[in-house]
């Protein structure tokens, strides 16, 4: 199956696939954690501002860039960004648009396997939390179970002389991912998302109804009830808005959740035809993601948590990392009637949400390998599988304190997303030209991008992104650098696992840069418009 024959089966299919890429663990674990840790309702203000000024405009830019690049015969971020950036600098920056989904997959699929593991254990009778115990004791039991599942107390693939449970579930999940990606866009990713997304919606709405009808806590009914949970999520404490961390968390959540700057949308959109609508499709995919994130992920998790363990413990035990969601939610299920049943279907829904995202993480690298090396989909899938499995095994082995996972999540899954998103919006608005870019976006569009977004995309989004990035570097980089390099003044030694992880990141970057150089020679030899000097042909030219 050649890459050039890949195509979406329907407009709804590509919307569900992009929405499936966006709807993932960030919606159900990361968003509630960020909201709770950053003031609840106060977090929602910078969250929606970032959605309007960063998520929507940069998302539209990505959809447009991808479709335009596809018409020139390109389907990978390096090639497409080189066209829009009109040269090698943007092309090599585009290599980070392959690095991000690939490196995030290194750890994301492991969290995906935890979800399936939790669902399995709930089906078998729970995870050991005893109903009626004090909340503190239940939280401790949840933490201990998470430690046993993730092997975060030791490095290695084995525990007590046997293959660790996390490794077993990783094998199952990896096989499912590779199978559906190999089947292609319409028969694999689109088909899976077309049934997984509705199932997720049905499960999510069912759990939401159950949560919104929960009785108040009998011991503390005034502070632990559904109204209190909704109040915490939607009524802002404006003092929190003075904290830069709130704004950083909101912007980071938007990027991770919408897959903006991730390298996925630009690849998916490249398989669309010239007259396929990217404006309404992009808006629909973003709105679908927001429904899952705010209406389901936030209202279910935060409300239920407040009802059963109160506002204070919700904020304390639900942070911005993935793991904390595995600590607070099990306590909720232990105190809920039919808790094991709801726990099983909840974590199965998280598994579905995760796999629709992880499938999207493999596709951009697969397309890049096909495109840069000129190989078949079968061989490209084999190469991709080798890279993905090697990365997974590395993160699985260095599991103690989840150092490898957290290091990749911070530097690649957060820091580099800002860089790629910034490069994309600058290429769209300044190098290619915002007027020309909007004209391209409106080809075949059912609706026009509102005029105000011309100003937003050219000035506001880049400026907003720059401010957030500077604040991010000032507030976040020093402690992470200390965690890697150590701080002799305070007696902190360098962390070997973090250093090894950086070696993996740098090695992957070097490999992608070499492949970009190889691909550039191939594309130029075939006479393709590598630097965006000409208008694209009506139909893509063959890369082989």
């Amino acid at each position: 199956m050649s890459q050039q024959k890949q195509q979406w089966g329907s407009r709804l299919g590509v919307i569900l696939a992009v929405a499936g890429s966006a709807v993932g663990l960030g919606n159900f674990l990361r968003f509630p954690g960020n909201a709770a840790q950053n003031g609840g309702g106060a977090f929602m203000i910078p969250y929606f501002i970032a959605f309007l000024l960063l998520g929507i405009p940069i998302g539209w830019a990505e959809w447009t860039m991808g479709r335009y690049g596809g018409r020139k015969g390109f389907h990978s971020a390096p090639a497409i960004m080189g066209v829009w950036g009109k040269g090698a600098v943007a092309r090599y920056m585009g290599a980070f648009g392959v690095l991000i989904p690939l490196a995030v997959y290194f750890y994301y699929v492991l969290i995906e396997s935890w979800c399936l593991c939790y669902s399995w254990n709930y089906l078998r009778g729970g995870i050991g939390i005893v109903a009626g115990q004090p909340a503190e004791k239940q939280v401790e039991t949840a933490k201990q179970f998470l430690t046993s599942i993730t092997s975060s107390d030791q490095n290695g693939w084995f525990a007590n002389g046997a293959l660790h449970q996390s490794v077993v579930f990783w094998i199952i999940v990896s096989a499912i991912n590779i199978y559906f990606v190999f089947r292609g866009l319409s028969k694999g990713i689109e088909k899976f998302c077309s049934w997984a997304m509705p199932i997720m919606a049905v499960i999510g709405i069912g759990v939401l109804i159950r949560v919104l009808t929960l009785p108040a806590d009998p011991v503390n009914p005034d502070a632990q009830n559904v109204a209190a949970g909704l109040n915490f999520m939607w009524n802002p404490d404006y003092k929190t808005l003075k904290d830069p961390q709130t704004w950083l968390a909101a912007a980071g959540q938007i990027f991770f959740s919408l897959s903006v700057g991730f390298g996925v949308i630009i690849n998916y959109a490249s398989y669309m035809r010239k007259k396929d609508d990217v404006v309404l499709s992009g808006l629909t995919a973003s709105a679908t993601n927001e429904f899952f994130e705010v209406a389901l992920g936030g209202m279910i998790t935060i409300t239920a948590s407040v009802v059963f363990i109160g506002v204070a413990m919700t904020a304390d035990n639900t942070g911005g990392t993935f793991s904390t969601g595995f600590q607070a939610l099990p306590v909720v299920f232990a105190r809920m009637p039919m808790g094991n049943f709801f726990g099983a279907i909840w974590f199965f829904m998280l598994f579905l949400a995760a796999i629709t995202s992880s499938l999207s993480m493999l596709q951009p690298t697969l397309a890049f390998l096909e495109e840069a090396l000129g190989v078949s989909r079968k061989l490209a899938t084999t190469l991709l599988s080798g890279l993905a499995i090697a990365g997974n095994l590395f993160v699985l082995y260095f599991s103690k304190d989840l150092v490898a996972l957290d290091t990749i999540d911070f530097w690649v899954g957060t820091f580099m997303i800002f860089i790629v998103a910034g490069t994309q919006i600058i290429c769209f608005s300044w190098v290619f030209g915002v007027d020309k870019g909007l004209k391209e976006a409106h080809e075949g569009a059912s609706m026009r991008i509102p005029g105000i977004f011309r100003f937003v995309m050219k000035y506001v989004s880049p400026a907003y992104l720059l401010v957030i990035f500077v604040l991010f570097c000032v507030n976040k980089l020093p402690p992470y650098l200390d965690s890697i390099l150590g701080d002799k003044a305070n007696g902190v030694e360098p962390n070997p696992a973090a250093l090894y992880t950086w070696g993996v990141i740098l090695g992957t970057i070097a490999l992608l840069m070499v492949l970009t150089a190889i691909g550039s020679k191939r594309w130029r030899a075939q006479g393709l418009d590598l630097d965006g000097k000409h208008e694209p042909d009506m139909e893509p030219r063959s890369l082989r």
Side-chain angles (χ1 to χ4, degrees):
M1 184 187 299
S2 69
Q3 181 186 359
Q4 286 66 48
K5 294 180 181 179
Q6 294 293 305
Q7 195 173 60
W8 298 108
S10 66
R11 176 179 172 181
L12 178 61
V14 67
I15 292 174
L16 287 175
V18 174
S21 166
V23 175
L25 298 178
N27 300 80
F28 299 107
L29 298 179
R30 190 168 179 160
F31 170 76
N34 272 326
Q37 194 177 44
N38 292 281
F43 176 82
M44 301 306 294
I45 296 175
Y47 173 81
F48 282 117
I49 290 175
F51 177 68
L52 290 173
L53 300 183
L54 295 177
I56 290 294
I58 298 178
W60 272 330
E62 273 200 83
W63 278 82
T64 307
M65 293 168 73
R67 187 186 64 178
Y68 184 87
R71 290 166 55 206
K72 283 181 170 288
F74 297 121
H75 300 285
S76 65
I80 295 172
M81 287 178 64
V83 169
W84 282 76
K86 298 185 183 299
V89 174
R91 187 158 50 252
Y92 284 98
M93 287 299 295
F96 289 93
V98 179
L99 170 72
I100 292 171
L102 176 62
V104 169
Y105 181 88
F106 288 168
Y107 71 81
Y108 193 90
V109 75
L110 306 187
I111 307 173
E112 185 178 310
S113 69
W114 302 347
C115 295
L116 187 60
C117 181
Y118 266 70
S119 181
W120 172 251
N121 277 276
Y122 271 110
L123 284 174
R124 297 176 63 198
I127 64 171
I129 300 177
V130 179
Q133 285 185 329
E136 293 83 356
K137 178 64 176 176
Q138 292 177 326
V139 170
E140 184 60 32
T141 302
K143 289 180 179 179
Q144 291 172 358
F145 184 79
L146 177 64
T147 298
S148 70
I149 291 299
T150 62
S151 189
S152 60
D153 58 342
Q154 61 180 340
N155 287 325
W157 300 312
F158 295 87
N160 300 320
L163 200 63
H164 196 275
Q165 190 175 6
S166 62
V167 180
V168 175
F169 278 91
W170 163 74
I171 293 173
I172 297 171
V173 169
S174 292
I176 295 172
N177 275 276
I178 293 171
Y179 170 76
F180 279 106
V181 167
F182 178 72
R183 284 180 59 84
L185 291 177
S186 61
K187 294 182 179 179
I189 297 174
E190 181 178 345
K191 186 174 182 179
F192 184 86
C193 291
S194 67
W195 66 262
M197 292 294 287
I199 290 175
M200 288 160 53
V202 170
I203 294 175
I205 292 171
V207 176
L208 176 63
I209 292 172
R210 182 68 188 94
V211 167
L212 294 180
T213 55
L214 287 170
D217 182 76
V219 178
N220 191 13
D222 293 334
Q224 292 179 224
N225 54 58
V226 170
L230 295 175
N231 181 71
F232 175 64
M233 181 173 174
W234 293 109
N235 285 347
D237 177 4
Y238 294 103
K239 294 179 182 178
T240 312
L241 296 178
K242 297 178 182 179
D243 186 357
Q245 170 58 29
T246 303
W247 295 82
L248 291 175
Q253 178 63 35
I254 285 296
F255 279 117
F256 195 93
S257 177
L258 290 178
S259 295
V260 171
F262 219 81
V264 172
I265 295 174
I266 202 168
N267 167 253
Y268 276 14
S270 71
Y271 297 101
M272 301 176 74
R273 294 176 288 268
K274 178 181 180 180
K275 292 297 182 179
D276 286 346
D277 188 338
V278 295
V279 179
L280 186 58
S281 296
L283 189 61
T284 303
S286 297
T288 302
N289 176 76
E290 291 307 294
F291 168 75
F292 277 93
E293 181 153 289
V294 178
L296 297 183
M299 290 180 66
I300 288 172
T301 306
I302 293 177
T303 304
S305 185
V306 169
V307 169
F308 287 106
I309 62 177
V311 171
M313 289 190 67
T314 297
D316 288 342
N317 290 289
T318 310
T321 62
F322 290 109
S323 62
T324 50
F326 291 94
Q327 298 168 9
L329 283 173
V331 176
V332 171
F333 295 130
R335 297 179 165 220
M336 179 187 292
M338 298 179 64
N340 285 343
F341 168 75
F342 283 104
I345 65 170
W346 173 258
F347 280 105
F348 182 71
M349 184 188 71
L350 291 187
F351 165 69
L352 290 179
I355 200 169
T356 57
S357 295
S358 60
L359 287 174
S360 72
M361 295 173 194
L362 290 175
Q363 172 59 31
T365 307
L366 180 62
F368 177 62
L369 292 173
E370 286 185 86
E371 192 165 85
L373 299 177
V375 298
S376 67
R377 188 175 187 86
K378 183 177 181 180
L379 179 55
T381 303
T382 302
L383 295 173
L384 173 61
S385 299
L387 285 173
I389 290 171
N392 292 157
L393 288 174
F394 174 85
V395 180
L396 272 170
Y397 185 85
F398 289 102
S399 57
K400 187 175 182 180
D401 299 325
L402 303 180
V403 171
L405 187 156
D406 286 339
T407 301
I408 298 176
D409 181 44
F410 177 81
W411 291 103
V412 180
T414 304
F415 181 80
M416 291 183 186
I417 289 179
F418 279 104
I419 295 175
V420 173
T423 303
Q424 287 175 336
I425 196 63
I426 289 172
C427 287
F428 181 92
S429 298
W430 289 91
V431 181
F432 193 83
V434 68
D435 291 326
K436 189 178 176 182
L438 290 174
K439 181 181 178 182
E440 173 63 26
H442 290 144
E443 285 280 353
S446 302
M447 61 169 284
R448 296 182 65 83
I449 296 175
I452 185 63
F453 277 96
R454 179 191 183 280
F455 180 79
V456 169
M457 296 172 88
K458 187 167 185 177
Y459 299 105
V460 179
S461 294
Y464 194 127
L465 200 57
L466 179 61
V467 170
I468 292 295
F469 184 70
V470 170
L471 287 174
F472 179 85
C473 292
V474 170
N475 285 272
K476 294 291 187 179
L477 287 190
Y480 267 88
L481 287 173
D482 289 343
S483 70
I484 296 173
L485 303 175
D487 183 2
K488 292 184 179 180
N490 294 310
V492 178
E493 294 296 323
N495 191 316
L499 291 173
Y500 298 152
T501 305
W502 252 110
V504 170
I505 294 172
L506 292 175
T508 307
I509 291 173
L511 174 63
L512 294 177
M513 291 297 176
V514 171
L515 291 177
T516 300
I518 293 172
S520 298
K521 289 184 178 180
R522 289 191 66 252
W523 305 329
R524 202 175 297 280
Q526 292 175 330
L528 296 174
D529 186 16
L530 206 59
D531 301 313
K533 295 179 179 179
H534 311 290
E535 291 296 318
D537 298 330
M538 293 298 292
E539 295 295 333
R541 296 178 61 178
S542 173
L543 292 178
R544 293 188 178 86

